Amino acid sequence: MAQLYLRYGSHAEKEYYLKALSLFDGMMVGANLLEATPAATISLLVQLCGKKSKCSFFIDPMTYAFGEYIDPASKDIRKDLDWIKSDQKIRGQTVRQLKRSYRKLAESLGTGFTSVYNNGASKAVDQFKDISSLCNGVIEYQKNRFNELIGKDDELNQFIDSLPKPKGLLSPYFFIHEGNKKSLFELTCQMAQYCADSNLNDEVYSVLCIDKPLLNDPLFDACIEKLVTLKIKGLWLWISRFQEENEQEQLLEKYLSVANKASKSGKQIFNMHGGYFSLLATHKGLTGMSHGVGYGEQKDVMPVVGKGIPTVRYYLPPVYKRIGIPEIQRSFSAIEVKSVEDFISKICDCAICRGILKKDLDAFKEFGEMYRSSEDAKRQAQTPAAAKKCRYHFLLTRAKELKRVREVKLDTLIEDIDNAYASWSRSQVMKGSLEHIERWKKVLSGKIE
Amino acid sequence: MREIKKEKELLKPIANYLKDKGYARQMVEACFFDYAIDLYGYSEKKRRCVAIELKLYDWKKALKQALVYQLCADYVYVAFPESSLTRVQISAFSEFGIGFIAVSPDRCRQVLKAKKSIELMSHYKSEMIRMTKWGD
């Protein structure tokens, strides 16, 4: 049965989790967030994933953050860890050093972790000498960090008897790209093997974090071949820059074939940042996925900074894609949406949409409301209220999609997307926005080798 | 005749052309959701709005934008340099009631008259008129 975990980005998202997490299987929390805000994170996990809850959670150890990375602008390989640093005032002087949360995380991941990172820079992979110590530190962190943090905090002591345990333990992982692929694919397998062999009573997952082109690399295939023979429960796949809506058929087929291979070997396989195609892929072997609330259905390993707050666009359920409000409204005539009833039957019947459209069909614009955040702002930005409505609508829609994917056969789901294409392609303004549907249909209808 | 090579060179001739047609109140780069409508004009006398998309080459993109602008303007036009007109499939615009204007540095020529938008949402039109700070 398809599984879906929401990835907790920050405590600003807390209300979405309180209201909607129960619709899903659980959540994934970054270890950096746990270090930055231990009390808030632990109390939330106790509340949402505690012993009485059916929701579970994973802790992402975020080890990749301490490895080398590719500068998004220059494309250079960098080891300076600058993206997890900030300017800090120390004794009156400005010093650029690791952000507090990452510094605490590095310290908490054990002494073995110093073989990865030291003096503010990541080391070369061939300097990772003590794999056992590195793995032990990362696994112990996920097993025991809550207890350590609670022991230091009187307020947190109230949770000592109700602490939930992670559903599984993730082995350390680093970003694998063309420049380091040979050594890192090997290292990933070694780390997964060590973690699995030394934690036989726990469910251990390997994490494969790769640059998109490596999906076609023979070394990636060899790594998968090796991983599925290990005593791991499964693996989490993070394909940086992989966008389900935009990828060509060959790459989507490759993605499905990897899922199929893992599943046939009896291993679970998750996409760490997936969308609706990944939900469909659960009928081809994928176990599940995670994504954020607004929406994080794909993620580059290195965040692109300096582009302002992104607009949370309305997720258009019939086409499984985020589309602008005016484009949707301009399509109403083509798909014959003339009333609120038409909207509810043809576009979305979630509680958020029903609530907003209670007034009239024109109220649909509320999902896209814009404002100037300051008098001198050059561009308009989405209002926080509109972003919130879009997020809730998305979560309710995704929960409905998850339920349907679990309940019906793939043929029926393919019929769904086929019907959507037939209907929405009548809108001229949607032309060019529906190509993913044709690709998905073709790939999912094919036989996976 | 001098050729128009930059999109902004289309603006002045079009703005003058609209003024001559009675659209005295004009706004450059009028915000409509994520879009910035190149020129939005309003005629108080006729109580009509017009939206213009300026383009040098990509008429297909212009068509898509113009279709969206039909939600907030009575009439929508795409303006293209006169010299590039042969590259454009005018029939694609007529199918949706979008007008077309050919622009030279010294004059504008209406190639295709826009039809009144049947997609207009009156609240958008009112908001555009109300929210826009009108220039001269």
Side-chain angles (χ1 to χ4, degrees):
Chain A
M1 193 164 74
Q3 296 179 34
L4 204 159
Y5 295 85
L6 294 182
R7 192 176 175 89
Y8 195 56
S10 77
H11 292 294
E13 296 171 351
K14 183 178 170 184
E15 68 162 280
Y16 301 102
Y17 285 77
L18 292 174
K19 287 183 179 151
L21 188 70
S22 60
L23 302 171
F24 305 98
D25 294 281
M27 61 197 283
M28 182 171 277
V29 181
N32 57 322
L33 189 66
L34 175 60
E35 292 304 317
T37 52
T41 309
I42 291 173
S43 63
L44 185 72
L45 286 171
V46 168
Q47 189 176 355
L48 294 177
C49 307
K51 286 175 182 165
K52 288 178 187 166
S53 168
K54 68 176 182 63
C55 290
S56 52
F57 73 97
F58 290 90
I59 297 175
D60 180 349
M62 301 290 288
T63 48
Y64 79 96
F66 299 90
E68 61 183 31
Y69 64 102
I70 299 176
D71 187 303
S74 68
K75 309 294 176 206
D76 292 336
I77 295 170
R78 291 174 62 167
K79 294 178 186 291
D80 56 24
L81 307 181
D82 193 65
W83 77 281
I84 52 170
K85 288 180 180 174
S86 62
D87 291 332
Q88 293 164 38
K89 284 264 182 196
I90 296 174
R91 291 188 207 101
Q93 290 206 316
T94 304
V95 181
R96 191 157 182 81
Q97 62 177 23
L98 284 186
K99 291 174 186 169
R100 192 177 64 93
S101 58
Y102 283 99
R103 202 167 62 237
K104 282 178 72 183
L105 175 60
E107 288 161 9
S108 310
L109 287 173
T111 50
F113 206 68
T114 53
S115 68
V116 173
Y117 137 84
N118 212 0
N119 291 330
S122 107
K123 288 184 180 177
V125 179
D126 54 15
Q127 289 180 284
F128 293 11
K129 291 202 172 88
D130 190 356
I131 289 175
S132 56
S133 178
L134 167 64
C135 291
N136 287 337
V138 172
I139 293 293
E140 285 305 307
Y141 178 90
Q142 294 167 72
K143 281 183 173 178
N144 298 325
R145 187 59 178 153
F146 284 179
N147 286 318
E148 287 171 21
L149 289 165
I150 282 181
K152 291 177 189 169
D153 191 310
D154 290 343
E155 266 186 58
L156 285 175
N157 259 313
Q158 59 176 307
F159 300 127
I160 197 91
D161 296 325
S162 49
L163 276 182
K165 284 185 177 169
K167 180 179 169 59
L169 306 170
L170 307 191
S171 66
Y173 67 99
F174 300 95
F175 177 48
I176 309 175
H177 56 82
E178 184 62 34
N180 66 10
K181 62 183 183 182
K182 194 167 182 305
S183 46
L184 260 176
F185 275 128
E186 205 177 304
L187 179 72
T188 301
C189 290
Q190 287 169 357
M191 292 189 297
Q193 183 160 18
Y194 182 87
C195 290
D197 290 347
S198 41
N199 294 278
L200 293 172
N201 294 327
D202 296 296
E203 294 185 347
V204 171
Y205 292 80
S206 175
V207 183
L208 255 179
C209 173
I210 61 166
D211 202 11
K212 188 170 72 176
L214 295 187
L215 198 52
N216 280 322
D217 198 292
L219 288 174
F220 171 73
D221 295 335
C223 182
I224 295 287
E225 293 277 357
K226 171 74 179 169
L227 286 173
V228 297
T229 65
L230 303 179
K231 291 171 188 161
I232 55 172
K233 176 76 176 173
L235 55 131
W236 283 83
L237 199 56
W238 176 2
I239 311 162
S240 183
R241 298 186 290 135
F242 184 78
Q243 294 180 305
E244 296 173 357
E245 292 161 18
N246 300 333
E247 301 307 340
Q248 293 306 305
E249 288 152 22
Q250 188 275 333
L251 216 55
L252 294 172
E253 276 168 2
K254 184 63 199 285
Y255 171 56
L256 292 186
S257 79
V258 173
N260 191 254
K261 174 163 284 189
S263 138
K264 277 188 174 165
S265 308
K267 301 298 178 194
Q268 294 189 343
I269 178 165
F270 294 86
N271 183 353
M272 204 175 247
H273 303 280
Y276 187 67
F277 181 77
S278 287
L279 270 189
L280 295 173
T282 57
H283 283 269
K284 295 282 188 180
L286 197 78
T287 311
M289 62 169 181
S290 67
H291 60 62
V293 296
Y295 309 112
E297 295 178 284
Q298 70 88 26
K299 190 178 175 187
D300 295 0
V301 165
M302 283 311 111
V304 180
V305 290
K307 285 198 169 175
I309 301 166
T311 301
V312 183
R313 299 179 103 191
Y314 182 86
Y315 181 80
L316 183 57
V319 305
Y320 317 99
K321 190 177 180 179
R322 286 157 278 168
I323 301 285
I325 296 303
E327 285 85 352
I328 297 170
Q329 287 184 314
R330 184 60 182 80
S331 302
F332 280 176
S333 54
I335 57 162
E336 295 175 1
V337 170
K338 293 172 188 157
S339 64
V340 173
E341 290 71 29
D342 290 340
F343 183 98
I344 286 169
S345 71
K346 292 181 179 177
I347 297 181
C348 184
D349 65 352
C350 82
I352 301 299
C353 288
R354 281 178 185 271
I356 286 172
L357 296 179
K358 215 180 260 177
K359 303 162 201 165
D360 57 43
L361 192 56
D362 288 349
F364 181 62
K365 68 176 181 176
E366 288 182 23
F367 284 107
E369 272 175 353
M370 312 283 277
Y371 77 126
R372 285 190 199 279
S373 53
S374 63
E375 273 193 16
D376 52 351
K378 284 185 180 171
R379 292 189 71 91
Q380 288 189 312
Q382 187 181 31
T383 64
K388 188 189 267 192
K389 287 167 190 162
C390 286
R391 286 193 193 99
Y392 274 122
H393 153 76
F394 169 68
L395 289 173
L396 293 180
T397 304
R398 182 47 47 89
K400 192 178 167 190
E401 289 173 348
L402 178 65
K403 189 168 179 281
R404 184 157 174 81
V405 163
R406 284 171 174 171
E407 286 173 354
V408 304
K409 289 185 173 169
L410 183 60
D411 288 348
T412 311
L413 297 168
I414 291 173
E415 259 176 53
D416 287 351
I417 63 175
D418 216 15
N419 292 338
Y421 185 83
S423 174
W424 284 81
S425 59
R426 294 202 297 265
S427 164
Q428 177 71 21
V429 83
M430 291 292 286
K431 288 212 160 56
S433 300
L434 304 173
E435 289 157 356
H436 63 289
I437 293 182
E438 287 284 86
R439 284 196 294 272
W440 290 3
K441 183 189 161 193
K442 196 170 171 190
V443 170
L444 289 160
S445 305
K447 283 197 173 136
I448 304 300
E449 296 303 322
Chain B
M1 186 169 54
R2 191 172 65 83
E3 211 175 302
I4 291 174
K5 289 181 178 165
K6 289 180 182 168
E7 201 174 281
K8 65 179 180 185
E9 292 177 58
L10 294 165
L11 184 61
K12 200 174 171 189
I14 277 287
N16 290 335
Y17 176 77
L18 277 197
K19 267 188 189 169
D20 291 345
K21 297 281 181 191
Y23 295 92
R25 290 189 153 194
Q26 297 182 358
M27 177 71 185
V28 177
E29 300 218 333
C31 289
F32 181 59
F33 290 96
D34 287 338
Y35 294 89
I37 301 172
D38 288 324
L39 188 63
Y40 192 86
Y42 178 58
S43 163
E44 278 185 305
K45 192 178 166 187
K46 297 175 190 169
R47 294 182 179 272
R48 284 180 188 167
C49 292
V50 63
I52 313 263
E53 177 59 28
L54 310 175
K55 274 284 184 293
L56 286 181
Y57 307 106
D58 192 348
W59 66 266
K60 286 181 183 170
K61 188 177 175 191
L63 172 62
K64 201 169 169 179
Q65 288 170 271
L67 287 165
V68 170
Y69 301 165
Q70 285 183 320
L71 292 170
C72 68
D74 298 293
Y75 297 90
V76 180
Y77 283 86
V78 169
F80 229 70
E82 177 85 55
S83 55
S84 310
L85 213 55
T86 50
R87 296 177 191 157
V88 183
Q89 190 188 319
I90 300 291
S91 60
F93 293 84
S94 66
E95 189 184 339
F96 298 101
I98 292 161
F100 202 91
I101 300 169
V103 185
S104 316
D106 54 351
R107 69 183 277 259
C108 293
R109 180 170 68 88
Q110 182 176 275
V111 177
L112 181 67
K113 192 176 178 186
K115 289 182 185 156
K116 187 157 172 37
S117 169
I118 52 169
E119 303 289 339
L120 182 72
M121 294 189 157
S122 54
H123 61 277
Y124 283 146
K125 177 181 169 180
S126 307
E127 277 172 33
M128 293 297 284
I129 295 168
R130 190 176 64 245
M131 289 169 60
T132 311
K133 290 176 185 171
W134 298 103
D136 291 328

